Amino acid sequence: ILVQSAEPSQEVGGRAKITYGRFNELKVQGYVSGGLTEGIALDIEGAYRNGDGFQRDILSGDKVGKHTSWSIRTGLKAEISPD
């Protein structure tokens, strides 16, 4: 598996996505990229996921499978010389 992410860009931009689904599943994702100074750009991406799950313990009747996770990724691009 090869995962390739976009390089940080001097151009300011971003996007966000929020979804809500079955079993109270919430997904939030966001990305922003932009130049810090001339020749240096930074991007930050974050994701959050939470849900109640759909399984039930047949002995106790309790819901199982609840989940919560999050992640953050950053990237830095520096052009040190004009060449």
Side-chain angles (χ1 to χ4, degrees), residues 50 64 69 75-76:
N50 185 22
V64 294
S69 64
L76 181 68

Side-chain angles (χ1 to χ4, degrees), residues 11-83:
E11 192 173 312
V12 176
R15 74 171 68 166
K17 180 179 179 182
I18 300 173
T19 59
Y20 181 80
R22 295 173 51 184
F23 309 108
N24 292 323
E25 184 172 54
L26 174 66
K27 294 180 186 176
V28 180
Q29 297 172 301
Y31 173 85
V32 66
S33 183
L36 297 176
T37 64
E38 189 175 326
I40 298 178
L42 174 73
D43 70 359
I44 301 173
E45 176 188 355
Y48 172 80
R49 183 176 174 191
N50 185 22
D52 287 343
F54 60 91
Q55 301 107 339
R56 286 217 178 260
D57 182 324
I58 60 172
L59 299 177
S60 68
D62 293 338
K63 252 187 181 177
V64 294
K66 289 185 177 185
H67 60 277
T68 300
S69 64
W70 60 272
S71 65
I72 296 175
R73 181 191 63 82
T74 61
L76 181 68
K77 181 180 180 181
E79 294 181 14
I80 299 173
S81 70
D83 297 336

